[in-house]
Amino acid sequence: MTAALACSHLTVSYDGNVALNGVSLSVGSGQMIGLVGANGAGKSTLVNAVAGWSRGRPAVSGSVTLDGADISALAAHARAQHGLLLVPEGKNIFAELTVDENLGLVRAPRDVAGRHVFSIADVFNLFPRLTERRTYKGGSLSGGERQMLAVGRALLAAPRVLILDEPSAGLAPRLILDLLERIRSLVDRGLPVLLVEQNVKAALKVVDHLYLLERGRIIAGGPTTVMKSDARIVEAYLGTLAVDRA
Amino acid sequence: MNLSQQIVNGLVLGSGYACIALGWTILLGVARLVNFAHGQLYMLSAFVTWYAMTRAGAPYWAAIVIAIVVLSLLGALMQLAMTRLVIEQNLTSLMIVTLGLGYVIQGGGALIFGGNPQTLSSVLARTKVDAGALWFTWQDVLVLAMTFVLYAAVWLFVNRTRFGSVIRAVAEDPRLAQLFGINAKLVYLGVFVFECAAVALAAALVAPRAPILTSMGFNEVIMTFVVVVLGGIGSIGGALLAGLGLGMFIAFFGAFVAPAYTTAAAFGMLLLLLVVRPVGLATK
Ligand SMILES: Nc1ncnc2c1ncn2[C@@H]1O[C@H](COP(=O)(O)OP(=O)(O)O)[C@@H](O)[C@H]1O
Ligand SMILES: [Mg+2]
């Protein structure tokens, strides 16, 4: 069976400085894959390269396939139209547009074969908070509401695969797990998700499979149950006590 | 000097300024791009309209359509040449490139159309409205009406349609728009073509008022610049208000102070207003 999303030998450099070095990974259908690593490890560089997108000027080599089709040559907007939806780190909604206008920018394609279709009602069911904010400008939303809006608009595009780059950044700790669990509920309905997360403990509660990235290379990866007790994960991210409590 | 005649003159002048500035307001305000070839495009549009009427025998309305088509094509070519600068929002280079293109258009215009003043004659421009002592033509009425209609239509389009949201999204963050599946380059192309089509329509409407010259572009770009900045960069309502305000100011200044210094006075007013109210007339 082909993976929903796969990248192989992705290498990215900025002005000749290598930020990602020959990374390969795949996301199976109905799977939630976690990607963790220290600040500057190259997580965003990796998911941005997969989406063919950047705010900088990266030089990218390697290939990306989506449901078996090679999309390496497509521009970012075309990859989004093909169902590869990235919610980037940082600013990921339009501040000067209202919630409704942000959501209205996106249209599901006519041919939805192989796509996971979500209606606007699905989005409001998933994030009831957004319902009360429909006429507010994006710029006036709280951090959590912005993430909900960013995920919501990605869902409306009928994704094949959803990639989330640190959706919990700036969220209060008690909201992080709540958001991740809502996203997990989408995976349980069949949507493949690649999640970049700095809160490793929270990520381990929802993902099926975890990759650890360090200095532009994947240095460990495996099923969550195994990775939970991986020495590198425990030492760097959980601390010995944390495992006992988890 | 008749006061009500000066108000009429102000409205006539002002609606012309606003009409000519519409394309640039959208370009600058909505897509955050600049085009300092705007005045020369105005000149070219006037001459294309004139050429279509006098040399090809086209009726006025058909000449307007021809000017719009020609300028739209030219706009598309210009935008394609500038795509990289536009995506990078490199405004300094865009300013210089469009300024340069403006001079190329002016030189080309002089070569093709010659250096003599010409008259773009519209029947309406020769028919005076019967309104007692007040003097204005049906062309003036047409310009005023079209300006209000165009500004209203564009405002509704930008603020009340999905395409309008797409344009505003690209203006705010073209990179992010790509992740929403929006082809930002295509949107910029569309906005720039609109700018050129709008200037073509404005020229065909406004230019019949006075003799046209291939060297008139610079003055037009300056006045448009004043209107757009006064209006509060990007504000559609602000530009309409600023255009009308500038027209009133120039009519009164020309009538009561000194007609020779109106451009300088317009800039004086711009400076004064920017000191008092740096965001322009827009209230948002
Ligand atoms: N736009 C950019 N231009 C230049 N260097 C960048 C850019 N984005 C990231 N980098 C560099 O690439 C490396 C990886 O960054 P990033 O992918 O953002 O890491 P992470 O998301 O894991 O925190 C860092 O050394 C960072 O400085
Ligand atoms: Mg990052």
Side-chain angles (χ1 to χ4, degrees), chain A residues 51 53-57 76-77 80-81 85-86 88 91-97 101-102 104-107 153, chain B residues 32 84 88 158-160 162 165-170 172-184 284:
Chain A
W53 184 82
S54 177
R55 289 197 185 272
R57 292 176 163 206
H77 69 90
Q81 286 167 5
L85 273 297
L86 166 68
K91 181 180 186 297
N92 51 24
I93 53 149
F94 294 100
E96 288 166 34
L97 270 59
E101 284 172 340
N102 268 282
L105 290 173
V106 183
R107 285 279 158 91
R153 74 83 194 163
Chain B
R32 291 174 203 175
R84 197 175 54 81
E88 289 173 4
V158 168
N159 292 297
R160 291 287 180 267
R162 175 165 176 269
S165 304
V166 167
I167 293 170
R168 284 182 290 137
V170 170
E172 182 186 321
D173 192 341
R175 300 282 171 113
L176 181 59
Q178 295 170 332
L179 291 180
F180 282 58
I182 295 167
N183 186 345
K284 96 170 165 189

Side-chain angles (χ1 to χ4, degrees), chain B residues 110-134:
Chain B
L111 276 179
I112 300 169
F113 303 112
N116 296 328
Q118 304 291 352
T119 334
L120 181 54
S121 64
S122 136
V123 182
L124 294 176
R126 281 179 268 119
T127 12
K128 182 185 171 304
V129 177
D130 194 6
L134 294 181

Side-chain angles (χ1 to χ4, degrees), chain B residues 18-53:
Chain B
C19 191
I20 295 167
L22 178 63
W24 212 17
T25 298
I26 299 307
L27 191 68
L28 189 63
V30 180
R32 291 174 203 175
L33 297 177
V34 292
N35 174 20
F36 280 90
H38 186 89
Q40 278 82 15
L41 290 171
Y42 172 86
M43 175 279 292
L44 186 65
S45 310
F47 272 93
V48 169
T49 313
W50 168 79
Y51 192 89
M53 288 174 77

